């Protein structure tokens, strides 16, 4: 305690150099070193204040301390093709002071790509000085971690490169671990460490190897070393990992006279490293037809020495299982010795296995001459029943197989049916030829057509084209679309010149050339007014029934039995046929079903006659009617529709009425016409012969009703071509009133309307059945004969 004053000052000498003094209520306080180096403290206080001083050990001032730190490294290099990736993880421990900037020494040819650290403000790499500068937002006063990513360019694999760790400048100690890691495509060769000590691989952190690997891959640590003190250097040799390619194939070799086809399915398994392409040399004489695969991008062809090499370029670097379908083809085979079987081998394959199946077509018989690195298998165990097939198991890549090819001649039998149709003019011949081919397939056939044949046409499901053979009259060569075996059918048509004045026709047999056996038949038909007769058939033809001919030969011909049928014992026969010509019978174009006439006699002896004819028109287009002399035509109806007649022959009272069939095909058409006839000379009927109309068609079912005035009486009937059926007595025909006329017309119109409704119903039914033309005809008839119902006419 001190008394108060204007200025209070206290001076204290502290006993040690590491003490600091302070006061809570001082005005000023200074500390200066005394003569012995111990602090001399002078403090000034305000008046009326009790001075309080405290002293304690001096606190550390890191900013005033010289930084001292230690570096503990974990550095990993991962060699790859053309580049070395580096990951450098350093743990910095501070002993004293603080750090705001770090400087690293980077080895030559190493480039820094990324730097990561807590509170890192920025970093800069000087490639000329090989220095890396790292700047922090605030001074670091405790331990922290810095991660550096680096890269170094190299040559393509294989290569040898020195690997030197990054060092931290100014570190009290700079020690750590240096490791090498590789992926699945790189392996290490010779490793020469300098100033490095080998350590256990488990001592190196696994997470660093995972961080350096590309996305989706994992690098494995192969070598690990520790260093400290002298500059460490690691000479590392990086080698490319060769892929392990294994091929399992199923190859089918089809041997044919037209072409040889090799179809192969390849299962390729790639391990250890990925590949970009596969290749195989084309077997001699073969061409690539198709190649496909899920990972195939495209294929190219190149020449390497004397070989043509097919390269299968993949979509990218591929590892795993691949599938390819390859098809090769070569020209066809003939009989030959020591024929080498084509070998499809992938050049990059380390091991190949699989099966080779030989499938010869009928007509080729392969025999094994020599075989190497393959073994023959049992066909029954593989369920292969192709005659002459061979199956082998492939044991090594360089297998070889030589075959002796024997060519077997085909065995051909034919059945021939010649259908001869004799007509006025040329004679048509149609022939069905059925081949049965065994042992071997054929590509072409030969036929001998009879001499004088015209318009030869040869067809069939497998026929490509046909042409006559030059220098061989009547011989035709038929080319097939492909080599055929088994059943084969041909159809041959041609015409023969007409018979001469002696009405004698000679038919020669159609011959199939180059066959082992020909069986045949011939039948003769006639058309029109011709009749065919065979008096004495030749000895190589035997009469037979039409039904005895196999149905396979008769399927395209007329089912009716022909006039004559023969079985050919020998194919080269000649059949003389006598032709008899008959006169043509007249054919009526139309058929009259009935004729009904009604004649009304006026008091002055004139006649008004109504004629109704029921007929089927057929092909007749006009009905010719000749009226009696002194007659005048009034009007006509056909199927209840008015028609306009035309004048017939000049000088005759002939009219032509246009015909059309009844809209209902099952019913006859109706023709109605009315004409007036003058009275006989003198106006009296004394022994009168009434003349009716005449037609150009035969008539049947004729009836004539004669209506006389009430003042007339028949005194005598002369029997003749007419037969009187009844005599009704008086008919009052002249007392009809206008009401009677209206009533009769109404009945007639009702009848027509009912018929029109029937036509409309029938037309709708035909329309549903798709018969539009017949339906349209019925609709038109319904519209024409319906006069009373406008709504009905609109529907029609």
């Amino acid at each position: 305690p001190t008394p108060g004053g204007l200025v209070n000052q206290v001076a204290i000498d502290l006993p040690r150099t590491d003490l600091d003094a302070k006061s809570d209520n001082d005005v000023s306080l200074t500390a200066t070193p005394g003569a012995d180096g111990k602090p001399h403290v002078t403090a000034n206080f305000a008046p009326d204040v009790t001075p309080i001083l405290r002293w304690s050990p001096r606190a550390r001032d890191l900013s005033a301390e010289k930084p001292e730190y230690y570096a503990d490294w974990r550095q990993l290099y991962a060699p790859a093709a053309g580049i070395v990736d580096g990951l450098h993880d350093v743990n910095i421990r501070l002993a004293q002071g603080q750090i705001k900037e770090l400087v690293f020494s980077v080895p030559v040819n190493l480039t820094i790509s990324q730097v990561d650290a807590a509170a890192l403000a920025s970093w800069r790499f000087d490639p000329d000085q090989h220095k890396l500068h790292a700047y922090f937002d605030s001074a670091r006063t405790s331990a922290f971690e810095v991660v550096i990513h680096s890269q170094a360019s190299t040559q393509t694999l294989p290569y040898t490169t020195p690997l030197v760790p990054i060092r931290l400048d100014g570190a009290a100690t700079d020690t750590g671990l240096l490791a090498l890691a590789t992926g699945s495509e790189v392996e290490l060769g010779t490793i020469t460490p300098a100033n490095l000590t080998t350590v256990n691989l488990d001592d190196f952190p696994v997470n660093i190897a995972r961080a350096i690997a590309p996305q989706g891959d994992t690098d494995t640590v192969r070598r690990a070393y520790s260093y400290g003190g002298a500059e460490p250097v690691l000479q590392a040799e990086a080698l490319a990992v060769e892929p392990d390619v294994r091929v399992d194939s199923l190859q089918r070799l089809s041997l044919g006279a037209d072409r040889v086809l090799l179809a192969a399915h390849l299962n390729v398994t790639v391990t250890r490293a990925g590949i970009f392409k596969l290749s195989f040399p084309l077997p001699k004489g073969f061409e690539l037809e198709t190649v496909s695969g899920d990972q195939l991008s495209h294929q190219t062809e190149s020449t390497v020495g004397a070989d043509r090499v097919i390269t299968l370029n993949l979509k990218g670097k591929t590892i795993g299982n691949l599938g390819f379908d390859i098809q090769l083809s070569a020209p066809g085979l003939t009989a030959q010795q020591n024929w080498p079987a084509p070998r499809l081998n992938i050049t990059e394959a380390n091991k190949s296995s699989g099966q080779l199946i030989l499938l010869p077509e009928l007509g080729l018989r392969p025999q094994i001459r020599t075989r190497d690195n393959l073994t023959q298998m049992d066909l029954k165990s593989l369920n292969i029943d192709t005659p002459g097939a061979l199956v082998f198991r492939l044991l090594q890549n360089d297998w070889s197989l030589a075959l002796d090819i024997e060519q077997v001649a085909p065995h051909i039998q034919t059945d021939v049916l010649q259908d001869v149709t004799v007509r006025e003019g040329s004679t048509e011949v149609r022939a069905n030829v059925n081949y049965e081919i065994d042992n071997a397939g054929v590509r072409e056939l030969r036929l001998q057509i009879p001499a004088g044949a015209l318009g030869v046409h040869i067809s069939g499901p497998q026929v490509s084209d046909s042409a006559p053979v030059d220098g061989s009259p009547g011989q035709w060569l038929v080319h097939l679309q492909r080599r055929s075996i088994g059943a084969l059918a041909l159809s041959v048509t041609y015409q023969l010149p007409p018979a001469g004045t002696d009405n004698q026709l000679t038919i020669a047999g159609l011959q199939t050339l180059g066959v082992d056996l020909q069986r045949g038949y011939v039948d003769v038909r006639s058309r029109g007014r011709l009749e065919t007769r065979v008096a004495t058939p030749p000895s190589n033809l035997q009469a037979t029934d039409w039904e005895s001919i196999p149905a396979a030969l008769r399927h395209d011909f007329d089912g009716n039995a022909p006039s004559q049928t023969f079985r050919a014992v020998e194919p080269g026969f000649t059949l003389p046929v006598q032709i008899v010509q008959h006169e043509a019978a007249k054919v009526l174009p139309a058929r009259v079903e009935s004729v009904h006439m009604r004649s009304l006699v006026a008091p002055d002896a004139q006649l008004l006659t109504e004629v109704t004819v029921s007929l089927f028109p057929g092909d007749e287009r006009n009905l010719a009617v000749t009226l009696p002399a002194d007659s005048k035509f009034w009007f006509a109806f056909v199927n209840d529709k008015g028609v306009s007649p035309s004048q017939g022959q000049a000088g005759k009272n002939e009219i032509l009425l246009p015909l059309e069939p009844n809209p209902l095909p099952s019913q006859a058409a109706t023709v109605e016409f009315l004409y007036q006839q003058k009275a006989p000379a003198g106006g009296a009927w004394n022994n009168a012969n009434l003349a009716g109309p005449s037609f150009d068609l035969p008539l049947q079912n004729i009836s004539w009703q004669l209506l006389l005035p009430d003042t007339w009486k028949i005194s005598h009937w002369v029997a003749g071509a007419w037969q009187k059926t009844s005599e009704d007595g008086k008919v009052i025909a002249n007392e009809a009133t206008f009401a009677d006329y209206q009533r009769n017309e109404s009945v007639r119109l009702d009848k027509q309307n009912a018929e029109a409704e029937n036509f409309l119903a029938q037309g709708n039914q035909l329309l549903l059945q798709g018969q539009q033309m017949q339906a349209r005809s019925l609709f038109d008839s319904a519209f024409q004969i319906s006069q009373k119902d406008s709504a009905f006419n609109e529907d029609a």
Side-chain angles (χ1 to χ4, degrees):
T2 59
L6 182 62
V7 175
N8 296 330
Q9 187 178 71
V10 178
I12 295 177
D13 292 318
L14 298 182
R16 298 198 312 267
T17 59
D18 60 346
L19 296 177
D20 281 336
K22 63 179 180 178
S23 175
D24 296 333
N25 53 2
D26 62 323
V27 175
S28 65
L29 187 147
T30 59
T32 58
D36 55 359
K38 298 176 181 180
H40 175 74
V41 179
T42 302
N44 295 316
F45 297 90
D48 299 329
V49 172
T50 301
I52 298 175
L53 282 174
R54 296 185 181 91
W55 55 91
S56 61
R58 182 180 302 156
R60 294 184 58 185
D61 184 5
L62 298 180
S63 61
E65 294 179 358
K66 180 181 180 181
E68 184 175 350
Y69 47 88
Y70 303 87
D72 185 12
W73 289 90
R74 293 179 301 275
Q75 306 193 46
L76 178 67
Y77 286 107
I83 196 171
V84 177
D85 290 319
L87 182 62
H88 314 268
D89 186 349
V90 57
N91 188 12
I92 301 173
R93 293 177 289 107
L94 278 168
Q96 64 179 26
Q98 59 184 9
I99 297 175
K100 298 193 65 173
E101 177 185 0
L102 291 177
V103 179
F104 299 89
S105 294
V106 180
V108 180
N109 298 330
L110 202 63
T111 300
I112 303 302
S113 59
Q114 183 179 348
V115 178
D116 296 319
L120 180 66
S122 63
W123 61 272
R124 179 176 60 86
F125 174 64
D126 185 355
D128 295 331
Q129 302 296 326
H130 304 290
K131 296 293 184 178
L132 171 63
H133 299 266
Y135 306 98
F136 297 92
D137 292 332
S138 59
R140 306 306 302 269
T141 59
S142 60
F144 61 96
E145 186 179 12
V146 179
V147 179
I148 303 172
H149 295 265
S150 66
Q151 286 184 341
S153 60
T154 62
Q155 300 175 353
T156 57
L157 296 172
Y159 59 81
T160 301
T161 182
L163 300 176
V164 180
I166 296 178
R167 308 303 293 268
L168 178 58
D169 294 354
T173 59
D174 193 7
T175 61
L177 299 176
L178 177 63
L180 290 177
T182 61
S184 59
E185 300 177 1
V186 179
E187 62 181 355
L188 298 177
T190 303
I191 305 298
T192 306
N195 300 324
L196 293 168
T197 302
T198 304
V199 297
N200 196 338
L201 296 179
D202 295 337
D203 295 337
F204 194 85
V206 179
N207 61 327
I208 296 181
R210 293 175 180 172
I212 198 174
Q215 186 176 2
D217 199 357
T218 301
D219 284 356
T220 304
V221 178
R222 308 295 181 179
R223 302 285 192 277
Y225 305 91
S226 64
Y227 66 90
E231 184 71 19
V233 178
L234 187 64
Q235 291 287 341
E237 182 182 16
L239 306 175
V241 174
E242 294 296 331
D244 183 23
V245 180
R246 297 176 182 267
V247 179
D248 183 20
S249 63
L250 177 60
Q251 305 182 33
R252 293 179 178 269
L253 181 60
S254 301
L255 307 179
D258 293 332
R259 69 169 184 168
V260 177
L261 183 66
L262 176 60
H265 177 72
L266 307 181
N267 288 323
V268 182
T269 303
V270 182
T271 58
R272 295 197 304 187
I275 58 175
F276 289 94
K277 61 184 179 180
L278 294 170
S279 62
F280 64 90
L282 271 178
K284 187 177 181 181
F286 279 77
E287 296 292 338
L288 177 65
E289 284 198 352
T290 60
V291 58
S292 61
D294 293 339
Q295 296 298 323
L296 179 64
S297 173
H298 62 282
Q299 73 270 8
T300 59
E301 180 178 337
S302 59
T303 301
V304 179
D307 294 333
R308 298 166 58 198
V309 177
I310 301 296
T311 301
L312 307 178
N313 298 280
L314 307 180
K315 296 179 180 179
K317 198 169 204 179
T318 306
I319 190 170
N321 295 324
L322 306 174
F324 298 96
D325 289 300
I326 301 173
Q327 187 167 300
L328 309 178
S329 64
L333 287 176
T334 57
Q336 54 183 291
Q337 301 292 320
N338 200 21
W339 181 75
R343 185 174 63 190
L344 180 60
N345 276 343
I346 299 298
T347 305
E348 293 79 7
N350 303 98
K351 183 179 180 181
S352 296
S353 61
Q355 293 180 358
L356 173 65
I357 303 175
L358 268 68
L359 301 173
E361 70 176 16
L362 289 179
L364 294 179
R365 186 175 301 163
Q367 299 291 336
I368 301 175
R369 187 182 185 97
T370 60
R371 60 185 174 90
D372 191 18
N373 291 332
L374 45 78
T375 180
Q376 191 170 358
M377 302 176 62
D378 184 16
L379 294 177
K380 294 182 180 179
S381 63
L382 301 174
N383 295 325
I384 297 177
D385 55 359
T386 304
L390 299 173
V391 181
F392 301 92
R393 182 180 299 279
L394 308 179
L395 302 178
Q396 295 184 15
N397 294 357
D398 55 347
W399 62 268
S400 62
L401 175 65
L403 302 172
D404 291 337
I405 308 297
E406 178 185 357
Q407 193 164 12
V408 181
H411 181 269
I412 305 176
Q413 297 183 10
T414 58
D415 291 324
V416 181
L417 172 58
Q418 294 177 246
D419 183 80
V420 181
T421 303
V422 180
R423 302 177 301 185
E424 294 183 3
S426 62
T427 298
E428 181 183 16
V429 180
R430 298 171 58 201
N432 280 348
V433 184
N434 288 352
Y435 282 82
E436 188 63 36
I437 306 171
D438 297 321
N439 294 343
V442 295
R443 187 64 185 270
E444 59 186 25
L445 305 171
R446 290 179 179 268
L447 299 176
Q448 183 66 45
I449 306 297
L454 303 174
V456 179
H457 178 71
I458 303 174
S459 62
Q462 301 185 35
V463 174
S464 174
D465 59 73
S466 59
V469 179
D470 295 336
S472 299
Q475 190 174 133
W476 283 69
L477 182 63
V478 181
H479 297 279
L480 304 180
Q481 296 177 356
R482 59 184 180 275
R483 189 169 296 275
S484 299
I485 193 169
L488 177 66
L490 294 182
S491 177
V492 183
T493 60
Y494 55 89
Q495 286 79 37
L496 296 177
T501 56
D502 58 353
N503 288 333
Q504 189 76 21
L505 180 65
T506 301
I507 300 173
L510 172 69
Q511 301 183 47
T512 54
L513 304 180
V515 302
D516 298 281
L517 176 63
Q518 176 178 336
R519 298 180 294 267
Y521 301 87
V522 59
D523 68 79
V524 181
R525 306 173 186 269
S526 59
R527 293 289 184 267
R529 296 178 290 112
L530 301 181
E531 179 186 357
T532 58
R533 298 174 182 174
V534 178
T536 55
S539 59
N540 52 8
L541 291 178
Q542 297 178 358
T544 187
D545 294 331
W546 171 253
E547 297 297 333
S548 65
I549 299 177
L553 289 174
R554 294 187 285 114
H555 64 90
D556 286 337
F557 294 151
D558 188 355
N560 298 324
S563 303
Q564 295 87 20
T565 304
F566 303 93
R567 182 172 64 87
V569 180
E570 297 177 357
F573 64 84
T574 55
L575 177 63
V577 178
Q578 182 68 33
I579 301 176
V580 180
Q581 187 170 10
H582 299 278
E583 293 296 332
K586 294 183 179 180
V587 179
L588 296 177
R591 184 177 81 253
V592 176
E593 294 293 318
S594 64
V595 179
H596 180 65
M597 296 185 295
R598 298 177 64 202
S599 296
L600 177 66
V601 181
D604 59 355
Q606 296 187 67
L607 273 80
L608 184 63
T609 302
E610 178 190 50
V611 182
T612 302
V613 182
S614 177
L615 78 166
F616 289 94
D619 294 333
E620 190 74 16
R621 290 294 173 262
N622 293 287
L623 177 63
V625 180
T626 302
L627 300 178
D630 299 329
S631 297
K632 180 179 180 182
F633 179 82
W634 279 20
F635 54 82
F637 292 94
V638 176
N639 293 329
D640 295 328
K641 295 185 292 186
V643 295
S644 299
S646 58
Q647 186 64 42
Q649 296 183 9
K652 296 177 62 178
N653 194 14
E654 184 184 50
I655 59 173
L656 300 178
L657 301 179
L659 295 179
E660 64 177 30
N662 194 303
L664 298 177
S666 61
Q667 299 185 12
T670 303
V671 179
E672 300 175 85
F673 62 91
L674 197 72
Y675 67 91
Q676 176 189 356
Q677 186 176 358
K678 291 183 179 180
W685 282 18
N686 296 320
N687 195 19
N689 288 322
L690 299 183
S694 61
F695 301 86
D696 61 347
L697 296 174
L699 307 182
Q700 62 178 345
N701 300 327
I702 310 171
S703 64
W704 195 346
Q705 185 180 17
L706 185 63
L707 303 177
L708 301 177
D710 57 346
T711 58
W712 286 43
K713 180 180 180 180
I714 298 176
S715 60
H716 182 66
W717 176 273
V718 180
W722 291 92
Q723 180 181 1
K724 185 170 67 170
T725 59
S726 65
E727 186 172 350
D728 296 334
K730 296 182 179 180
V731 176
I732 306 301
N734 56 355
E735 295 183 359
T737 64
F738 183 70
D740 296 333
Y741 171 78
Q742 287 181 320
R743 183 172 56 254
N744 293 335
E745 282 297 302
S746 177
V747 171
R748 185 181 64 83
L749 292 178
D750 290 342
K751 180 181 178 181
Q752 289 186 353
N753 289 338
E755 186 177 3
E757 291 178 357
N758 183 35
F759 285 165
L760 182 63
Q762 294 284 343
N764 287 330
Q765 185 175 1
L766 291 176
L767 193 63
L768 293 176
Q769 298 174 359
Q771 303 179 23
Q772 298 186 7
M773 296 299 296
Q774 295 88 334
R776 181 177 298 179
S777 177
L778 286 172
F779 294 151
D780 181 66
S781 298
F783 174 77
Q784 292 290 339
I785 67 176
S786 175
Q787 305 175 12
K788 193 173 182 180
D789 191 346
S790 59
F792 174 85
N793 287 338
E794 183 178 354
D795 292 341

